Amino acid sequence: MANKPLENRTIVLTRAAAQADEFAEMLSNLGARPVAVPVIEICPLDTPEIHRSLREINTYSWIIFTSINGAEIFLGKLKDILNPGDLRPRVCAIGPGTSRQIERMGFPVHMVPKIYQAEGILEEFSEKISGMADIPSVLIPRALQAREILPETLKKMGFAVKVVPVYRTAFPSGSVTELRALLRGSAPDMITFTSSSTVTNFMTLVGKTLNLGSYKYAAIGPVTAETAAKAGLEISVSAGESTLESLAEAIAEYFSGKAPATAGFGFPD
């Protein structure tokens, strides 16, 4: 039991199906019964704007990836027209998970901020603009709907910023029935959120027919936790940093009673 602190615990994973396996394996290794009920689906976009940015990629100073999805989709297209070794702009990844994915695809990563969120990137980039003779150009391939704090603040700093949506999120078919059946049946021990989108879609899919205050929730960082709080959900567990490993460890600590799981929010990757 000491090595399996989540023995006989049912943990619900709400992240996209394509990304659930890694987290499920971590929880299984801790003894949990992970149940994947995706509440978001990643839908890649294919637009003239994307193809233009791909053709012009080496005219940028930096590429900033704020999610694994954005990196995977954009770089997958880029590899069709450019050898990773020929990429000229420097690459910033919002966190270690995104960084690992970029490197798995053969591209270098030049920066991962100390704080794994938009504010952390801005802190790092604020030191780079001073003393530059030319205006640095930044490309941000991201979700169709995302926080505007990163591009808007970079523009105010003096960067030339191009935002290119490369995917959108949608509701997976069949999730409503599956999720409601799960929650009405044997209640899970914890429901996990790894982005604000998972919180928002969860609330929409569940509706107002269940007492959501009877469940325990885990969030990967303060932005996600804030979204949950605004939706009326009380977060019991938060990660020490924005990684799935940290979130899994925080859940294990919560159920083993080793530490107050909400002490010290991490930052979303």
Side-chain angles (χ1 to χ4, degrees):
M1 282 292 290
N3 295 325
K4 301 285 185 180
L6 297 181
E7 194 79 41
N8 298 321
R9 300 287 185 181
T10 300
I11 311 295
V12 175
L13 285 62
T14 58
R15 67 193 332 230
Q19 300 172 343
D21 289 349
E22 183 182 6
F23 194 27
E25 183 178 359
M26 293 175 190
L27 294 169
S28 295
N29 290 338
L30 293 168
R33 293 190 299 264
V35 178
V37 186
V39 300
I40 62 172
E41 182 178 352
I42 306 302
C43 304
L45 301 175
D46 190 37
T47 65
E49 188 179 22
I50 293 174
H51 290 283
R52 188 179 308 113
S53 66
L54 290 168
R55 292 194 303 270
E56 299 173 349
I57 193 66
N58 280 338
T59 66
Y60 291 94
S61 307
W62 282 89
I63 310 173
I64 299 178
F65 292 105
T66 56
S67 71
I68 292 175
N69 297 315
E72 197 168 45
I73 293 168
F74 186 80
L75 294 178
K77 294 177 181 292
L78 185 59
K79 286 186 76 172
D80 290 336
I81 63 173
L82 181 79
N83 186 297
D86 294 328
L87 184 67
R88 293 178 188 170
R90 296 169 70 81
V91 176
C92 172
I94 198 168
T98 302
S99 177
R100 285 194 296 270
Q101 179 58 36
I102 293 169
E103 291 176 338
R104 275 196 291 264
M105 298 182 76
F107 291 90
V109 175
H110 303 90
M111 179 196 297
V112 177
K114 297 181 182 68
I115 300 174
Y116 307 148
Q117 64 180 34
E119 289 80 355
I121 294 176
L122 291 170
E123 184 176 325
E124 300 277 349
F125 270 74
S126 65
E127 302 172 0
K128 296 187 176 299
I129 189 68
S130 59
M132 288 187 175
D134 299 323
I135 297 176
S137 54
V138 177
L139 178 68
I140 307 178
R142 66 172 200 181
L144 182 61
Q145 294 180 318
R147 292 201 301 159
E148 295 299 328
I149 184 173
L150 180 59
E152 292 303 319
T153 307
L154 285 174
K155 289 176 185 176
K156 291 176 182 177
M157 288 179 180
F159 289 89
V161 181
K162 177 67 173 179
V163 173
V164 179
V166 296
Y167 70 96
R168 64 178 179 85
T169 58
F171 293 100
S173 58
S175 290
V176 175
T177 302
E178 186 178 359
L179 183 59
R180 291 181 182 177
L182 173 66
L183 296 180
R184 286 196 178 105
S186 54
D189 294 282
M190 185 157 284
I191 299 168
T192 63
F193 300 119
T194 53
S195 68
S196 289
S197 296
T198 57
V199 176
T200 302
N201 285 17
F202 173 84
M203 297 299 294
T204 301
L205 291 172
V206 169
K208 301 179 179 179
T209 59
L210 297 172
N211 176 19
L212 297 181
S214 62
Y215 306 103
K216 297 183 185 299
Y217 304 95
I220 202 169
V223 176
T224 303
E226 182 180 359
T227 302
K230 288 179 178 177
L233 304 179
E234 182 178 348
I235 295 298
S236 299
V237 174
S238 63
E241 61 179 26
S242 152
T243 63
L244 294 176
E245 292 90 345
S246 182
L247 182 57
E249 289 171 6
I251 294 171
E253 288 180 354
Y254 176 84
F255 284 110
S256 63
K258 290 182 179 179
T262 54
F265 279 111
F267 302 92
D269 182 10

